[in-house]
Amino acid sequence: MNKVNAQDRINKLRDLINDYRYHYHVLNESIMSEDAADSLKHELAKLEAEYPDLVTPESPTQRISGTVLSGFTPVEHVSRMLSLNDVFNEAEILAWLDRISKSLKTSDFDLFIDIKMDGLACSLIYEDGVLVRGVTRGDGYVGEDVTLNIKTIESIPLILRPTNKYSEFLKGRTEVRGEIVMYKDDFEALNKKRHQANQPLFANPRNTAAGTIRQLDPKLVAERKLYFRAYDLIRSDAAEISTNDFAYVMLKELGFLTNSDARIVNGIDQIMSFVKKWEDKRLTLEFNTDGLVVKINDRLVFESLGIAGKAPRGAIAYKYAAEQTTTIVKDIFVSIGRTGVATPVAILDPVVIAGSTVQMATLHNEDEVKKKDIRIGDSVILQKAGDIIPEVVEVLPQLRNGSEKIFIMPIKCPDCGTKLVKLKAIDVAWRCPNIACPSRTWKRIQHYASKEALDIEGLGEKNVVALLDAGLIKDIADIYSLTPYMLLSLDRFGEISANKLIKSIQSKKEPSLDKFLYALGIRHIGVQTALDLAKKFKTFENVMAATVEDLVAVEGIGEVVGDAVVEYFSDPINQRLLNKFKRQKVWPLPMKQYKGKLEAKNFVVTGTLTSMSRDEAAKKIRSMGGNFHTSITKDTDYLVIGDKPGNSKVIKARNQNIVTLSEREFISLLD
C-alpha cells in the first residue's frame, strides 16, 4: 500500500473507530462487536507505525475518547487513567519484551500478569481511610463523579479495613482503581426478570454495568448486583508501593476484591504458560474477560519507561483469539459441493480468528452476496459461526475507495462446464446437475468416509483425489473393490498404510442404518434427520420404498426433505450405485430398538459449552436416546445455555415455556 492509499485508509479507519467509541462509551450501545473494533484499531496502529508522519494528535491511537454525561459532575484525575496497547500473539509479546529490554539494557526483569476484566473502569478516592469520591475513567483526564451510585456496591468498602501492619495507608489520600463488573449469572437473572416484565433484554454484562453506574437514580443502581474488582493502588508517595504484586497484597489487606490468580512471571515461557492455562479456563470465570494484562512488576522501573501516546510502555493487554475480526475480501470464487450446490466463497486476507488462521469464508449463495452487498475488495467483519465455519457478518462500506468490484454469479460449473440450474423456482441455490462432476464425486466419497458418517480412517481428501486421479475408483461403492496391491501403485501408500486403509474400509460393510443414510449424502439429510428416519422405518428397504406422504408423517420432516429422499431413490444413477453396494455385500443393518434415559427428548444448545464441543454434546444426547436439533420448535424439550448464548433462542424458549438448562445442569442430567 502506497502512502496516498494509506492516508485514505487511515482516515476511514479513524472515522469508523471514533463512531464506534462514541456509541459504545457515551451512548452505551454497540454498532459492532468489541472484537471487530479491536481488529480495526490494531490495523490503524500498524498503518501509523508504517507511516509515522501520518499520525495526528486526534487519532484514536493517541487519545482515549469519551464525553462526560450531563447530570454528573466532571472530575479531573490526579494521575491520568491510561488504556493499554493490545497484542494478539506470542510474536507481538516478544517484540514488546525486546523493546523493554533495549530500554532497560537488561532482559532480567519480573512481570506481573493478571486476567483482564470486561467492565467499567472506575477510580475510588479515600481520605484518611474514608471513601469520599468515585470517578469513572471518562476520557482518561476527566471522569464523572458517580459517588452516590458506587456506594450501593457492597464490594466497595466505605471505610478502608483497619490494618496495624500498614497503618500509613489509612492516612492521607489513597486511590484505588478497578473495574465495575456484572457477573454472568446475575446478568442472566436480570434479563430473565426483565423478560417476565415484558421489558427489553440487555445486550451484555459490560454495557449493563456501565449503563447502571450512569443512572441518575442510585436506588435503581442498588437494585442491580454489581462488583468492584480492584487492580491498582496509588499513593502520593510512590515509594510506599514498590511493586504491582505488593499493590495486590495491600488491596486485599485494605478490604478489596482482587483476582487471586494474578502472579509474578519472568520471560516469554512463563507468560505463554499463563496465556495457555486461561485460554479455555477463562470461560468458567464469574465475569467476562477477553484477555490478560502484563506489566512490569517494579513500579519505579514501570514509571521510568514512560508513556507512548495513550498507553504506558511498561504494560500491554494480551487479547485472546477474537470471535470477530475485520479483513479484506481479495476475491470470490464458486465451489461445487457434493450435492451440486454452487456456493460463492470469499478469499480473504489471512486473519486469525478463534485460534486459527482463516483465508476463506462461505458466502452461502448469490442472494446472500447481494443482500449483504459483498464486493471484491471490501473490508468486512468476519466471525466463526458456532466456532467452526467462518462467515462474513457485514460489510464496512465506510472503508470503500471505489476500486471494489461487484460479484457476478457464473452461468456454468467452473469444474465441468455444465450449465448451472435451479431445481425449483423457489430455490436460492444454483446447482451443477452433472452427477459425474469431478468436484461432486470426490466430495461425496469424502463425506461417505467422514467421522460423522462411516468414519473410514485414512480416506481423507488427498487420498480420495489420488484414487480418482489414478482411475482406481469412480464412485463410493468402488472403494470396497480396492486391494492393498492396487494401493501400492500410488506414491502415497506403503505396505502398512495400504493394509490399514483396506482393513478400515472392509470393517464398514455393515454400517448402522442411520450412519449409512447420512453417508449417502442425500440432500437435506443431516445426522439427526437420518436418525429420525432410521428410528421410524427400521430398515433400509422401508426407507427406499417410502412415499413423500410416509416421510412427511415423520416428526421433524417436511415436504422439502420428503421430496429429496424420494428423488434420491428414484434416480437411476443412485439405483445403480445401490445395486453395486449389494454386489459388494455392503448393506446397512436394521435399526435396533434402543431406549435410553433421554428417549424421545429434544435438545437444542445455544452458546459455547466449556466441558465439551457441540458435536460431543449431540453424540451424548443421541447415545442416550435423545434428539439433537439446531433450532427451537414446538417439540423442543430442553434448551442448554452455554457461554455467550443467542438471545433469540433464549427468548423463544422462555416464550414457549421450554425448560432451560445451564451447562452444569445439562451434565448432571447426562450423568
Side-chain angles (χ1 to χ4, degrees), residues 12-24:
K12 287 183 168 67
L13 285 168
R14 286 173 182 168
D15 289 343
L16 186 55
I17 291 166
N18 283 332
D19 190 44
Y20 162 79
R21 291 179 67 83
Y22 174 75
H23 280 84
Y24 190 82

Side-chain angles (χ1 to χ4, degrees), residues 641-671:
I641 301 176
D643 188 53
K644 295 185 179 179
N647 278 340
S648 60
K649 285 183 178 176
V650 175
I651 293 170
K652 193 171 183 180
R654 288 170 181 162
N655 285 341
Q656 296 183 20
N657 295 317
I658 292 168
V659 177
T660 58
L661 301 174
S662 66
E663 183 172 356
R664 185 181 300 173
E665 290 170 329
F666 173 59
I667 292 170
S668 177
L669 183 64
L670 294 178
D671 291 341

Side-chain angles (χ1 to χ4, degrees), residues 53-65:
D53 57 320
L54 298 182
V55 178
T56 60
E58 67 273 10
S59 172
T61 63
Q62 303 302 304
R63 66 180 177 87
I64 305 169
S65 62

